[in-house]
Amino acid sequence: MDNYHVFEFKLTTLAPVFIGSGDKYTSKQYIYENGSYYFPDFMKLYQKLSKNPRDVQAFENYLLTPKGNQRKMRLTEFLNSINFNDRDLGGYKVKATDFETDKRPDSLNDIAQFIKDPYGYPYIPGTSLKGAIKTILINTYFKGQEIPWGGKDDVFNEIRVVDSAPFEKEQLVICQKWDFNLKKEPKPLPLTRECLKPHSKATIQIVTTSSRAAGLVASLRDYADDFYKQYQQRFLGQLPAEYEQDYFNHVIYLGGGTGLWTKANYSRINIEEVRRHTPVRTKMKGNGVYKLTKAKNVSFKIKRNGQIEQRQLIQNRDNLFEMGKCVFRVSEKK
């Protein structure tokens, strides 16, 4: 047990974070009403509809055999068409922020789901955080080296990252994908995700089973700072400064939609090879596009030199955040 070390990894999201479950909500699975997106429990909805056989049959037809106008009919419209007004249907709500879409708030289609535990609560899987840590170490400690994958000599097998505790569902927010190309304005895309809100916090346990792994985790802040400098030189430095959340230390990019350069092995990636194997319409220009999303800005307080300072997470007026950007502190538990 002498080689076992336990660390506390304290994470704060600076921007919306998306860790997908692989599932999505279609417009037939949620309701937009009264300034909220409501995701009902379909089992409870079906049980209530079952009191009227005609409603059950209509509901099954709506879900399974769409015809004519029903193909695009939203759940709200269907329930209204059968005069079903009950909204005590379990599930959960995500409050709208007016940044979910560049169109009407009731015009969203599919929403990619955030991963949730068996009780329906969002959480950060240890595998997702470990992947982000691995990217940092590959580009710093292992930079230019042959990494021993698998077998007894794989140092990453000696780093065990535990799932986070569940978040309250109120910590979820719905965000649209925005891309920024150097030659154009930020562009909204028809991709919407369920994300953790900016300034969400989690404490995650990391256990190492060797002294070398413990050394890597203990020095992770320095490696993260080094990787972030590389990321700025390779990518962020080419982009407008107002979109970079740049006054935070120990940055880590977590989850999906953060962009190629937050996940790549810089010493191995060949941009020309990437371009050669992508279709003309989607071919990467330069070093690619900036992955952004919109959300409500967050004010917070920090203590500096004995003084309390008021800060905001973003400095631009467009409410654009860097997708998946987080900061962390890590310390060994004694």
Side-chain angles (χ1 to χ4, degrees):
M1 296 293 293
D2 290 344
N3 285 329
Y4 277 73
H5 299 260
V6 180
F7 295 85
E8 278 191 343
F9 186 97
K10 295 187 176 182
L11 180 83
T12 301
T13 65
L14 300 185
V17 169
F18 172 68
I19 302 174
S21 67
D23 294 323
K24 63 184 178 182
Y25 293 111
T26 71
S27 61
K28 292 186 175 185
Q29 294 174 288
Y30 65 89
I31 298 167
Y32 176 77
E33 283 180 344
N34 304 319
S36 291
Y37 295 90
Y38 178 32
F39 304 91
D41 181 334
F42 262 53
M43 183 64 71
K44 193 168 184 178
L45 172 59
Y46 191 86
Q47 287 172 346
K48 291 200 172 187
L49 288 173
S50 65
K51 296 175 182 178
N52 186 328
R54 287 187 179 181
D55 288 348
V56 171
Q57 187 61 56
F59 187 53
E60 291 176 351
N61 289 340
Y62 167 67
L63 292 177
L64 302 175
T65 56
K67 294 181 181 179
N69 291 333
Q70 282 196 346
R71 186 175 298 277
K72 294 185 178 180
M73 184 182 287
R74 296 174 178 275
L75 180 58
T76 316
E77 296 171 304
F78 169 76
L79 295 178
N80 290 339
S81 74
I82 62 171
N83 297 315
F84 184 88
N85 300 313
D86 190 347
R87 295 296 187 263
D88 182 17
L89 304 171
Y92 65 99
K93 292 182 180 180
V94 175
K95 188 175 180 180
T97 62
D98 296 329
F99 298 109
E100 289 82 6
T101 174
D102 59 313
K103 299 174 180 159
R104 296 192 332 267
D106 62 348
S107 67
L108 294 185
N109 290 313
D110 294 352
I111 300 174
Q113 295 184 33
F114 197 94
I115 192 167
K116 300 180 182 71
D117 67 17
Y119 301 99
Y121 289 90
Y123 72 101
I124 296 173
T127 51
S128 295
L129 179 56
K130 183 173 178 178
I133 292 171
K134 186 182 291 187
T135 298
I136 289 171
L137 294 176
I138 285 172
N139 285 285
T140 54
Y141 181 81
F142 290 104
K143 186 175 182 179
Q145 298 181 39
E146 196 66 35
I147 303 168
W149 300 107
K152 295 181 179 180
D153 196 35
D154 187 348
V155 68
F156 295 115
N157 282 337
E158 299 163 5
I159 301 174
R160 318 283 171 81
V161 185
V162 179
D163 295 342
S164 78
F167 294 87
E168 294 298 326
K169 295 169 186 175
E170 288 78 12
Q171 286 302 107
L172 291 173
V173 65
I174 295 170
C175 299
Q176 184 177 20
K177 174 181 168 66
W178 285 71
D179 280 356
F180 181 84
N181 188 301
L182 277 176
K183 297 181 180 179
K184 300 178 182 178
E185 294 295 317
K187 178 182 177 182
L189 298 176
L191 176 61
T192 311
R193 305 175 174 114
E194 194 178 43
C195 300
L196 282 179
K197 286 181 178 179
H199 220 246
S200 297
K201 297 182 182 236
T203 299
I204 300 169
Q205 191 174 92
I206 300 176
V207 179
T208 60
T209 61
S210 70
S211 56
R212 64 174 181 172
L216 291 176
V217 174
S219 301
L220 191 58
R221 290 172 297 181
D222 295 332
Y223 294 129
D225 292 347
D226 186 10
F227 177 58
Y228 189 61
K229 287 178 184 176
Q230 294 181 50
Y231 179 50
Q232 286 178 311
Q233 292 167 2
R234 181 65 67 96
F235 187 71
L236 287 183
Q238 306 170 23
L239 299 163
E242 63 264 29
Y243 295 134
E244 182 186 351
Q245 299 168 252
D246 64 348
Y247 47 86
F248 299 96
N249 293 323
H250 318 317
V251 171
I252 189 167
Y253 286 87
L254 185 63
T258 60
L260 171 68
W261 297 106
T262 66
K263 299 182 182 300
N265 181 343
Y266 287 14
S267 63
R268 292 295 183 89
I269 194 166
N270 185 325
I271 287 295
E272 293 305 321
E273 195 68 19
V274 172
R275 293 193 186 104
R276 191 160 38 245
H277 288 88
T278 52
V280 174
R281 288 183 61 188
T282 58
K283 196 172 290 294
M284 181 184 289
K285 296 180 177 65
N287 277 341
V289 296
Y290 204 4
K291 303 298 182 181
L292 304 170
T293 193
K294 282 195 175 184
K296 187 177 180 180
N297 203 352
V298 176
S299 296
F300 62 99
K301 294 179 181 179
I302 61 170
K303 190 171 184 178
R304 293 262 178 156
N305 301 320
Q307 301 293 320
I308 301 297
E309 296 182 13
Q310 189 81 22
R311 293 274 185 98
Q312 290 189 313
L313 288 181
I314 54 173
Q315 303 303 311
N316 66 81
R317 296 181 180 180
D318 300 322
N319 282 85
L320 287 167
F321 288 76
E322 293 183 63
M323 190 69 196
K325 192 168 192 175
C326 305
V327 288
F328 71 91
R329 291 180 294 151
V330 64
S331 59
E332 186 172 358
K333 292 181 68 174
K334 302 299 184 182

